[in-house]
Amino acid sequence: MRVLNRLRRLVAAAVALTTAVGLPAAAQKTDISGKGSVVLMAAIEGPIGPATVRHVGRAIGLAEERGAPALVLRLNTPGGLADSMREIISQVLASPVPVIGYVAPAGAHAASAGTYILYATHVAAMAPATNLGAATPVQLGGSPDTVPGGDGDKNDRPAGDRSPDKGGSGRNTDLMGSEQAMSAKMTNDSVALIRSLARLRGRNADWAERAVREAASLPATEALEMDVIDVVARDVDELLDAADGRMVEIGRTSHKLTVAGLPVERIDMTTTTRILSLLSNPNVALILMMIGVYGLIFEFWNPGSVGPGVIGAISLTLGLYALNMLPFSYAGLALIGLGVAFMVVEALTPTVGVVGIGGLVAFIIGASMLVDTDAPGFQISWWLIGTLAVISGAVLVLVLGAALRSYRHKPVSGQARMIGAPADVLEWQGSEGYVWAEGERWHAAGAEDLCAGQTVQVRNVNGLTLVVNADHDAQPEREH
């Protein structure tokens, strides 16, 4: 018993000593061996937009909730919207879980906005036969708003642009100078952002600036040699082995990655995010808006049909919601509405095509300038614009025109068809008698001077009695 008591005291003393020694170190470093034993992975594929922001935010939230030792962002993107890119960068910088950026599979690229996101991650990796770069603001699109980490002066402007125009070249020179100044501001802001990210992660800031100013690109092996990335790995398992043991900064605390050999669980987009991704396509937004416009036009033209109105209202609402997520132009939207209105006017009051052609031109111009960005993947297809213009012209001019003409035609059924029809007087006394109209004998009422054999015209139908007037263009038939 004495021996056991001594052993217990020794063990207790050892534990107390280990805890006392380890506390100061633990205040500076945390070994993320993982509350969870699974590394999560989310893919950023295709153009970066609002749906991508939602997907990345959800992935980081799940990684934090499950205590994952790391989150892998697999990148294969041509770029996207500047605002969405900046939101993702903010999410990565604020993430409590280490984020590993990985450009994969072979043949993938992290161009434009993808380069900025890769620079923001705690560990940057690429698969062989991949590339990154071409991060110029023109390709990104959007405005030069700042994000966490961006310390550029948005008022930077070349001195020459501030000087008055002495050459007398007029408004064109002023416009060119203004465009150059805006381009310089956007470029400087983007350079400041990517350089700050490079310094934060200890990567090559000079090449990052070249990627912005000169649209420079690098393959994986050269990116590793130039300290643009940290790892080149053929697959995720090799990536985790290479990242294992690396120290990363999360906030003001250093963390050691312990991820080697851990299983990887992929986080797919939710159904809601997939729908959002579909709606954020400007081509889909334009189609939905046109379906909505057509549906409402036909509902107003034929009240009570319900179907076109319901479908039109839902489609138009979804289209406008999708457009609200994109950097759209109010002028483009107004021109589309004006074009549709002109084509409706052409269908209702034919003007020998003048208004209709003007409507088509306004529609095409408005659709082409509807989305105000040069970001890849967020351009409206010219084929779609041409197709919608032709369909709009055909539907509104032919269909509505035919409907209008059908209203102007004489009715072919019911009592209304009798109005204006000719009739022959069979017998007449005073102000009433009988006439033969539409192959039937009818009781009729009219003027007292009518006589048998005279041709009259039906003016009204009162129950089973026809109200007739003398047809002065017809000559009465004489009896022999």
Side-chain angles (χ1 to χ4, degrees):
M1 290 296 293
R2 293 179 179 178
V3 174
L4 290 176
N5 290 334
R6 288 178 181 177
L7 287 175
R8 289 174 182 172
R9 291 172 184 174
L10 288 174
V11 171
V15 171
L17 179 62
T18 303
T19 303
V21 172
L23 280 176
Q28 298 297 325
K29 299 180 180 180
T30 302
D31 183 6
I32 304 183
S33 56
K35 301 174 189 176
S37 58
V38 177
V39 174
L40 302 185
M41 181 174 70
I44 298 179
E45 297 176 338
I48 294 172
T52 314
V53 177
R54 185 187 184 102
H55 180 49
V56 173
R58 175 174 174 268
I60 293 176
L62 285 176
E64 179 183 8
E65 178 182 336
R66 297 173 57 175
L71 169 67
V72 177
L73 285 183
R74 196 182 69 182
L75 299 166
N76 183 14
T77 174
L81 300 178
D83 293 339
S84 298
M85 174 201 75
R86 293 171 183 271
E87 287 188 52
I88 293 174
I89 291 174
S90 297
Q91 291 174 345
V92 171
L93 295 179
S95 172
V97 177
V99 179
I100 303 174
Y102 182 40
V103 185
H109 62 155
S112 193
T115 301
Y116 291 80
I117 295 173
L118 187 63
Y119 260 87
T121 57
H122 299 89
V123 178
M126 298 175 68
T130 58
N131 65 282
L132 82 164
T136 58
V138 173
Q139 291 171 308
L140 280 172
S143 59
D145 296 333
T146 57
V147 302
D151 53 357
D153 182 4
K154 300 176 77 171
N155 295 320
D156 290 344
R157 183 171 181 174
D161 290 336
R162 290 192 296 264
S163 61
D165 180 20
K166 298 180 181 180
S169 55
R171 185 174 299 177
N172 290 335
T173 302
D174 294 339
L175 181 60
M176 291 178 60
S178 176
E179 291 177 352
Q180 291 174 356
M182 179 57 67
S183 176
K185 291 173 68 175
M186 294 177 66
T187 300
N188 291 337
D189 181 78
S190 299
V191 166
L193 169 61
I194 202 166
R195 287 190 70 93
S196 66
L197 294 174
R199 294 194 190 100
L200 180 65
R201 303 305 184 197
R203 300 188 186 119
N204 192 328
D206 293 333
W207 183 87
E209 181 171 350
R210 285 186 53 212
V212 176
R213 295 191 184 278
E214 304 172 16
S217 297
L218 278 180
T221 52
E222 293 182 18
L224 181 62
E225 293 171 359
M226 297 180 63
D227 293 327
V228 173
I229 62 173
D230 306 309
V231 175
V232 172
R234 289 172 295 182
D235 53 38
V236 177
D237 291 334
E238 186 176 327
L239 169 65
L240 296 182
D241 290 339
D244 188 67
R246 287 180 175 269
M247 302 301 300
V248 296
E249 296 288 334
I250 297 182
R252 297 183 179 180
T253 308
S254 296
H255 295 264
K256 181 181 178 182
L257 292 176
T258 307
V259 292
L262 293 180
V264 178
E265 178 182 337
R266 178 166 178 169
I267 302 174
D268 293 322
M269 282 188 175
T270 62
T271 303
T272 303
T273 307
R274 291 183 185 278
I275 294 174
L276 181 63
S277 177
L278 179 64
L279 291 177
S280 60
N281 185 324
N283 296 289
V284 175
L286 181 59
I287 292 174
L288 287 173
M289 285 196 305
M290 295 312 300
I291 293 176
V293 170
Y294 296 151
L296 293 180
I297 287 175
F298 285 118
E299 178 65 29
F300 288 133
W301 189 258
N302 188 21
S305 55
V306 180
V310 171
I311 295 174
I314 294 174
S315 298
L316 186 60
T317 302
L318 288 175
L320 292 176
Y321 171 74
L323 198 62
N324 185 58
M325 295 187 294
L326 302 170
F328 72 95
S329 166
Y330 287 100
L333 186 62
L335 282 172
I336 290 176
L338 189 63
V340 172
F342 280 173
M343 286 185 278
V344 170
V345 171
E346 176 66 30
L348 300 181
T349 56
T351 58
V352 199
V354 176
V355 176
I357 292 174
L360 284 175
V361 172
F363 177 83
I364 292 173
I365 295 175
S368 65
M369 60 186 293
L370 181 61
V371 178
D372 186 20
T373 179
D374 293 325
F378 290 91
Q379 301 297 312
I380 296 180
S381 169
W382 279 103
W383 284 103
L384 177 63
I385 294 175
T387 301
L388 289 178
V390 171
I391 293 176
S392 298
V395 169
L396 295 175
V397 174
L398 298 181
V399 177
L400 290 184
L404 179 63
R405 288 190 293 272
S406 69
Y407 275 101
R408 293 174 177 173
H409 288 167
K410 180 181 177 181
V412 294
S413 63
Q415 292 183 342
R417 69 185 177 87
M418 299 291 294
I419 306 299
D424 295 327
V425 178
L426 298 178
E427 53 183 271
W428 198 264
Q429 288 185 352
S431 60
E432 61 180 344
Y434 292 91
V435 299
W436 186 263
E438 298 290 328
E440 297 176 321
R441 179 185 173 91
W442 288 80
H443 179 262
E448 296 182 357
D449 57 350
L450 298 180
C451 60
Q454 185 176 356
T455 300
V456 294
Q457 190 175 47
V458 179
R459 296 301 181 187
N460 196 4
V461 179
N462 186 10
L464 296 178
T465 299
L466 300 182
V467 178
V468 298
N469 286 339
D471 188 353
H472 298 290
D473 294 333
Q475 296 295 330
E477 297 183 359
R478 296 182 180 274
E479 296 183 334
H480 297 283

